[in-house]
Amino acid sequence: MHLLTHLNARLSRWAMYIACVCLVGLLAVVVYGVVLRYVFNDAPPYVEQVALLLVISVAMFGASAGVRDAGHIGLDSLVKVLPPKAQFWCKALVYVLTIGFAIALIAGGAEMAVSTRESTIPTLGMSEAVRYVPILFAGVLITLFSLEHLAAQFTDQKVVPSWH
């Protein structure tokens, strides 16, 4: 458990760093595109595609870091009124369902990457499969982070958030 916690804490921080860098990049690309479009009347064709890749990256890496730090949406008010044993099993069920969602992300992302690998992003000249790389990484990270939470649940330990 200690090794998984140490690894996940590091991975979660890196996921958040990547999300932050992508968010700053998104801001820069959009401002650049707007200035060129409305000031110089010369819109670069690649801005929209780069912005889309950055949005996907921000969402996926940010969401995975949120899973590690238990920042996802929950119905705590409902669970808190249940008896302790039911609370335990509700939390365990949430982690199992989250793992199922992460596996679906991996499977769906891999299927889409394979099916679009021959196509290219028109203005960037790279494979459409690149769009699905953040989704695959997020699926793996969410699986690891949920397994850690599940193991902590059954060993009566707490997962210390990466951003404490």
Side-chain angles (χ1 to χ4, degrees):
M1 177 75 180
H2 179 69
L3 178 64
L4 182 62
T5 297
H6 182 71
L7 173 69
N8 282 353
R10 224 171 252 269
L11 288 173
S12 177
R13 282 195 176 177
W14 276 104
M16 189 57 79
Y17 293 149
I18 292 169
C20 289
V21 167
C22 289
L23 187 60
V24 170
L26 176 64
L27 175 67
V29 166
V30 169
V31 168
Y32 171 75
V34 167
V35 167
L36 284 179
R37 176 178 303 241
Y38 293 106
V39 175
F40 299 107
N41 200 23
D42 183 29
Y46 58 86
V47 168
E48 184 180 343
Q49 296 302 321
V50 171
L52 182 59
L53 287 169
L54 291 171
V55 165
I56 293 167
S57 297
V58 168
M60 292 294 107
F61 286 106
S64 61
V67 168
R68 170 61 168 61
D69 292 347
H72 47 81
I73 298 171
L75 295 173
D76 288 341
S77 57
L78 176 65
V79 175
K80 286 182 180 179
V81 298
L82 297 173
K85 193 168 189 165
Q87 287 182 20
F88 175 88
W89 288 108
C90 278
K91 288 178 184 178
L93 179 63
V94 165
Y95 299 130
V96 168
L97 291 173
T98 305
I99 291 168
F101 171 74
I103 291 169
L105 272 179
I106 294 167
E111 181 181 341
M112 290 301 295
V114 168
S115 70
T116 60
R117 73 175 182 262
E118 299 299 323
S119 302
T120 58
I121 299 173
T123 57
L124 297 179
M126 60 178 45
S127 172
E128 284 277 352
V130 169
R131 292 189 201 278
Y132 302 100
V133 171
I135 295 170
L136 296 171
F137 276 115
V140 170
L141 291 173
I142 291 170
T143 301
L144 286 172
F145 300 158
S146 297
L147 285 171
E148 178 187 11
H149 279 286
L150 196 58
Q153 180 77 8
F154 281 100
T155 58
D156 200 31
Q157 296 178 355
K158 279 205 168 267
V159 174
V160 177
S162 300
W163 303 96
H164 60 288

